[in-house]
Amino acid sequence: MGMRFKNPRVEKLEESVNEAIRTKLSDEEAFKVVPFDEAAVERTGYSNYSYWRSTFRAFRKNPVAMILVCIVLAILAFTFIQPYLPNQLDSFNSNINPQTGAIFRNLEPGSKVVLEDGRDFTFIMGTNELGQDLWSRLWGATRTSLLIGVAVACIEAIIGIAAGVLWGYVRQTDIIFTELYNILDNVPSSLVLILVSYMMKPSVGTLLLAMSLTRWIGMARFIRNQIIIIRDREYNLASRCLGTGTLTIIFRNLLPYLVSVIMLRMALSIPEAIASEVFITYIGLGLPAEVPSLGNLINVGRKLMLSPTLRYQLIYPTIILSVVTISFYVVGNAFSDAADPKNHIN
């Protein structure tokens, strides 16, 4: 007769039952009822994962993007600090030679002079044909252009995201936005920019209005396409079945999924807006001369490009414009990659 093997767990259970019978324990003493602890259950599935912490951790692993971020932040900070530094000149005033009464016209970078108030002063970047300090004008121009770029990007994002979400999620609005898109998309944005700048008084507000009239439609179209892709996924269907509100689904389920692409488009919109400002100033419809901008400086500098001794008036604003444009492009792409949850795996 063969040997029969018992499961150790079964043997242990039998011993417990036999012991309980022998000692005649009551049910309450023999078996302990453990209450349900919801917090303990939550702790078993808890993860310390944070989307934004993981995004910035992945972004910091890109040394080139980090260097460019520091450069852009330094430029942005210096544009606001520069007017308050000691020994700075007004960017609009012409500087006059107290001995001859003539303006310091087209002085080379590093020229040392004596100003009307008797101060010894060095024009770090020289002067233009009106005797204005190019150092002060360059940083004032950078401040104005960055302000325009960031403002246009924010307006484009706010209007574009709102319209894109309605366009993609609320099916009843599809025909309205589609017709609006077909109309606005067929009108060249350069033509709208020129017409608005021509009809209205040249100012920063005019440029913001001209750039924002049609630029948002591209963002709206892009957001609409992304919303259509993800709106009927299982977790969104489950949320609707559970009675979750539309706004909650949009802000909790849809928009967080699009953070990376939205940040990328905003980062690219800033140099595009600065380039549009340079273009509209180049054709003579930009900001007035008393408002320094990179477009104004480049427009003046291009006329002197063939003069070797005055070429510096074009080189300096071009360098700043190139650095800002390249930096925003690289940083935008790097942040878009870092915001992708697929890159959050350690």
Side-chain angles (χ1 to χ4, degrees):
M1 187 175 181
M3 297 179 64
R4 184 176 63 178
F5 296 95
K6 288 186 177 182
N7 190 321
R9 295 182 179 180
V10 175
E11 292 180 353
K12 188 175 181 179
L13 180 61
E14 290 178 353
E15 292 177 0
S16 299
V17 173
N18 293 332
E19 183 68 20
I21 294 174
R22 284 195 299 270
T23 56
K24 298 180 180 181
L25 295 176
S26 64
D27 291 343
E28 294 182 356
E29 295 175 338
F31 302 98
K32 292 183 179 180
V33 179
V34 179
F36 176 73
D37 188 352
E38 185 177 355
V41 174
E42 291 292 335
R43 285 196 297 271
T44 60
Y46 173 76
S47 173
N48 62 351
Y49 171 79
S50 171
Y51 174 79
W52 289 110
R53 185 169 62 245
S54 299
T55 296
F56 287 113
R57 184 188 301 119
F59 182 77
R60 287 195 297 268
K61 293 180 180 178
N62 190 327
V64 176
M66 289 300 299
I67 293 173
L68 292 178
V69 165
C70 294
I71 291 175
V72 171
L73 291 178
I75 291 175
L76 181 62
F78 193 78
T79 57
F80 290 95
I81 295 174
Q82 181 270 330
Y84 303 100
L85 295 177
N87 204 28
Q88 301 294 313
L89 298 179
D90 188 90
S91 61
F92 183 69
N93 292 340
S94 297
N95 298 284
I96 300 175
N97 189 334
Q99 298 178 353
T100 63
I103 62 175
F104 291 117
R105 178 180 287 114
N106 294 330
L107 293 183
E108 295 182 354
S111 299
K112 296 181 180 180
V113 300
V114 178
L115 299 177
E116 291 180 290
D117 55 7
R119 285 187 298 161
D120 292 331
F121 187 81
T122 301
F123 289 105
I124 300 175
M125 294 184 176
T127 62
N128 58 13
E129 60 182 5
L130 298 178
Q132 297 167 326
D133 181 25
L134 283 181
W135 168 263
S136 300
R137 287 191 66 79
L138 178 64
W139 292 113
T142 305
R143 181 171 58 252
T144 302
S145 295
L146 284 175
L147 172 64
I148 292 173
V150 173
V152 170
C154 292
I155 294 173
E156 176 185 347
I158 293 173
I159 300 177
I161 292 173
V165 169
L166 290 175
W167 190 0
Y169 193 78
V170 182
R171 291 176 172 82
Q172 292 83 352
T173 63
D174 184 70
I175 186 171
I176 299 174
F177 280 107
T178 300
E179 294 300 324
L180 184 61
Y181 173 81
N182 291 334
I183 295 173
L184 296 180
D185 189 58
N186 287 313
V187 179
S189 57
S190 299
L191 181 60
V192 175
L193 184 61
I194 292 172
L195 289 176
V196 174
S197 301
Y198 182 77
M199 291 186 297
M200 299 181 65
K201 181 181 178 180
S203 65
V204 174
T206 299
L207 285 183
L208 293 179
L209 175 63
M211 294 180 190
S212 304
L213 277 178
T214 59
R215 191 182 292 267
W216 63 271
I217 197 67
M219 172 73 84
R221 173 76 175 185
F222 180 79
I223 296 297
R224 177 253 187 188
N225 293 339
Q226 298 299 317
I227 293 293
I228 288 177
I229 293 174
I230 64 176
R231 70 181 179 189
D232 292 328
R233 289 185 176 176
E234 289 80 1
Y235 58 89
N236 289 321
L237 294 177
S239 295
R240 288 199 292 269
C241 291
L242 293 173
T244 305
T246 301
L247 291 179
T248 303
I249 293 177
I250 290 173
F251 285 103
R252 294 286 184 88
N253 295 4
L254 301 179
L255 289 183
Y257 186 84
L258 304 176
V259 167
S260 61
V261 292
I262 290 173
M263 295 301 297
L264 173 60
R265 290 189 66 92
M266 287 188 65
L268 298 181
S269 295
I270 295 175
E272 287 179 5
I274 296 175
S276 297
E277 184 269 324
V278 173
F279 162 74
I280 201 66
T281 304
Y282 180 82
I283 62 176
L285 296 175
L287 297 175
E290 61 269 17
V291 180
S293 69
L294 292 177
N296 274 332
L297 296 186
I298 292 175
N299 188 39
V300 172
R302 70 178 179 86
K303 302 174 183 177
L304 307 172
M305 186 172 55
L306 299 179
S307 178
T309 59
L310 302 177
R311 199 171 292 167
Y312 63 89
Q313 298 187 30
L314 175 64
I315 293 175
Y316 293 137
T318 302
I319 291 175
I320 292 293
L321 178 62
S322 301
V323 170
V324 171
T325 301
I326 294 172
S327 297
F328 274 109
Y329 178 79
V330 175
V331 170
N333 280 282
F335 189 84
S336 177
D337 294 337
D340 188 349
K342 297 177 183 177
N343 298 325
H344 293 178
I345 300 176
N346 294 325

PDB file of all heavy atoms in Angstrom, residues 321-332:
ATOM      1  N   LEU A 321      18.970  87.526 -31.464  1.00  0.00           N
ATOM      2  CA  LEU A 321      17.808  86.882 -32.085  1.00  0.00           C
ATOM      3  C   LEU A 321      18.084  85.406 -32.351  1.00  0.00           C
ATOM      4  O   LEU A 321      17.226  84.550 -32.107  1.00  0.00           O
ATOM      5  CB  LEU A 321      17.452  87.599 -33.388  1.00  0.00           C
ATOM      6  CG  LEU A 321      16.273  87.020 -34.180  1.00  0.00           C
ATOM      7  CD1 LEU A 321      14.991  87.090 -33.366  1.00  0.00           C
ATOM      8  CD2 LEU A 321      16.104  87.767 -35.504  1.00  0.00           C
ATOM      9  N   SER A 322      19.271  85.077 -32.831  1.00  0.00           N
ATOM     10  CA  SER A 322      19.626  83.684 -33.124  1.00  0.00           C
ATOM     11  C   SER A 322      19.674  82.848 -31.855  1.00  0.00           C
ATOM     12  O   SER A 322      19.173  81.718 -31.821  1.00  0.00           O
ATOM     13  CB  SER A 322      20.972  83.630 -33.851  1.00  0.00           C
ATOM     14  OG  SER A 322      20.933  84.360 -35.056  1.00  0.00           O
ATOM     15  N   VAL A 323      20.286  83.397 -30.808  1.00  0.00           N
ATOM     16  CA  VAL A 323      20.392  82.655 -29.551  1.00  0.00           C
ATOM     17  C   VAL A 323      19.010  82.371 -28.972  1.00  0.00           C
ATOM     18  O   VAL A 323      18.714  81.242 -28.546  1.00  0.00           O
ATOM     19  CB  VAL A 323      21.255  83.440 -28.538  1.00  0.00           C
ATOM     20  CG1 VAL A 323      21.166  82.805 -27.153  1.00  0.00           C
ATOM     21  CG2 VAL A 323      22.708  83.485 -28.996  1.00  0.00           C
ATOM     22  N   VAL A 324      18.140  83.371 -28.961  1.00  0.00           N
ATOM     23  CA  VAL A 324      16.793  83.193 -28.413  1.00  0.00           C
ATOM     24  C   VAL A 324      15.999  82.183 -29.232  1.00  0.00           C
ATOM     25  O   VAL A 324      15.342  81.283 -28.683  1.00  0.00           O
ATOM     26  CB  VAL A 324      16.055  84.551 -28.359  1.00  0.00           C
ATOM     27  CG1 VAL A 324      14.582  84.347 -28.011  1.00  0.00           C
ATOM     28  CG2 VAL A 324      16.713  85.474 -27.346  1.00  0.00           C
ATOM     29  N   THR A 325      16.063  82.298 -30.555  1.00  0.00           N
ATOM     30  CA  THR A 325      15.301  81.398 -31.424  1.00  0.00           C
ATOM     31  C   THR A 325      15.759  79.954 -31.276  1.00  0.00           C
ATOM     32  O   THR A 325      14.946  79.037 -31.093  1.00  0.00           O
ATOM     33  CB  THR A 325      15.448  81.838 -32.894  1.00  0.00           C
ATOM     34  OG1 THR A 325      14.983  83.177 -33.033  1.00  0.00           O
ATOM     35  CG2 THR A 325      14.638  80.932 -33.800  1.00  0.00           C
ATOM     36  N   ILE A 326      17.070  79.727 -31.356  1.00  0.00           N
ATOM     37  CA  ILE A 326      17.600  78.366 -31.239  1.00  0.00           C
ATOM     38  C   ILE A 326      17.320  77.790 -29.857  1.00  0.00           C
ATOM     39  O   ILE A 326      16.965  76.607 -29.712  1.00  0.00           O
ATOM     40  CB  ILE A 326      19.105  78.359 -31.547  1.00  0.00           C
ATOM     41  CG1 ILE A 326      19.341  78.733 -33.014  1.00  0.00           C
ATOM     42  CG2 ILE A 326      19.714  76.993 -31.257  1.00  0.00           C
ATOM     43  CD1 ILE A 326      20.799  78.933 -33.382  1.00  0.00           C
ATOM     44  N   SER A 327      17.457  78.616 -28.826  1.00  0.00           N
ATOM     45  CA  SER A 327      17.254  78.133 -27.461  1.00  0.00           C
ATOM     46  C   SER A 327      15.821  77.666 -27.247  1.00  0.00           C
ATOM     47  O   SER A 327      15.585  76.576 -26.697  1.00  0.00           O
ATOM     48  CB  SER A 327      17.605  79.234 -26.454  1.00  0.00           C
ATOM     49  OG  SER A 327      18.966  79.578 -26.545  1.00  0.00           O
ATOM     50  N   PHE A 328      14.863  78.459 -27.664  1.00  0.00           N
ATOM     51  CA  PHE A 328      13.469  78.066 -27.484  1.00  0.00           C
ATOM     52  C   PHE A 328      13.136  76.803 -28.290  1.00  0.00           C
ATOM     53  O   PHE A 328      12.372  75.952 -27.828  1.00  0.00           O
ATOM     54  CB  PHE A 328      12.533  79.203 -27.892  1.00  0.00           C
ATOM     55  CG  PHE A 328      12.281  80.182 -26.791  1.00  0.00           C
ATOM     56  CD1 PHE A 328      12.810  81.462 -26.833  1.00  0.00           C
ATOM     57  CD2 PHE A 328      11.509  79.834 -25.696  1.00  0.00           C
ATOM     58  CE1 PHE A 328      12.583  82.370 -25.815  1.00  0.00           C
ATOM     59  CE2 PHE A 328      11.277  80.722 -24.668  1.00  0.00           C
ATOM     60  CZ  PHE A 328      11.816  82.002 -24.725  1.00  0.00           C
ATOM     61  N   TYR A 329      13.717  76.669 -29.464  1.00  0.00           N
ATOM     62  CA  TYR A 329      13.454  75.480 -30.280  1.00  0.00           C
ATOM     63  C   TYR A 329      13.994  74.226 -29.606  1.00  0.00           C
ATOM     64  O   TYR A 329      13.285  73.216 -29.474  1.00  0.00           O
ATOM     65  CB  TYR A 329      14.073  75.651 -31.661  1.00  0.00           C
ATOM     66  CG  TYR A 329      13.900  74.444 -32.557  1.00  0.00           C
ATOM     67  CD1 TYR A 329      12.692  74.202 -33.205  1.00  0.00           C
ATOM     68  CD2 TYR A 329      14.927  73.529 -32.734  1.00  0.00           C
ATOM     69  CE1 TYR A 329      12.512  73.090 -34.006  1.00  0.00           C
ATOM     70  CE2 TYR A 329      14.765  72.416 -33.537  1.00  0.00           C
ATOM     71  CZ  TYR A 329      13.563  72.197 -34.168  1.00  0.00           C
ATOM     72  OH  TYR A 329      13.399  71.085 -34.957  1.00  0.00           O
ATOM     73  N   VAL A 330      15.246  74.275 -29.157  1.00  0.00           N
ATOM     74  CA  VAL A 330      15.867  73.106 -28.525  1.00  0.00           C
ATOM     75  C   VAL A 330      15.198  72.789 -27.196  1.00  0.00           C
ATOM     76  O   VAL A 330      14.891  71.623 -26.897  1.00  0.00           O
ATOM     77  CB  VAL A 330      17.377  73.344 -28.340  1.00  0.00           C
ATOM     78  CG1 VAL A 330      18.012  72.181 -27.569  1.00  0.00           C
ATOM     79  CG2 VAL A 330      18.065  73.506 -29.688  1.00  0.00           C
ATOM     80  N   VAL A 331      14.946  73.813 -26.382  1.00  0.00           N
ATOM     81  CA  VAL A 331      14.310  73.593 -25.082  1.00  0.00           C
ATOM     82  C   VAL A 331      12.894  73.047 -25.255  1.00  0.00           C
ATOM     83  O   VAL A 331      12.467  72.157 -24.509  1.00  0.00           O
ATOM     84  CB  VAL A 331      14.300  74.903 -24.270  1.00  0.00           C
ATOM     85  CG1 VAL A 331      13.429  74.758 -23.021  1.00  0.00           C
ATOM     86  CG2 VAL A 331      15.716  75.292 -23.874  1.00  0.00           C
ATOM     87  N   GLY A 332      12.161  73.557 -26.232  1.00  0.00           N
ATOM     88  CA  GLY A 332      10.815  73.058 -26.479  1.00  0.00           C
ATOM     89  C   GLY A 332      10.799  71.587 -26.852  1.00  0.00           C
ATOM     90  O   GLY A 332       9.985  70.810 -26.337  1.00  0.00           O
TER      91      GLY A 332
END
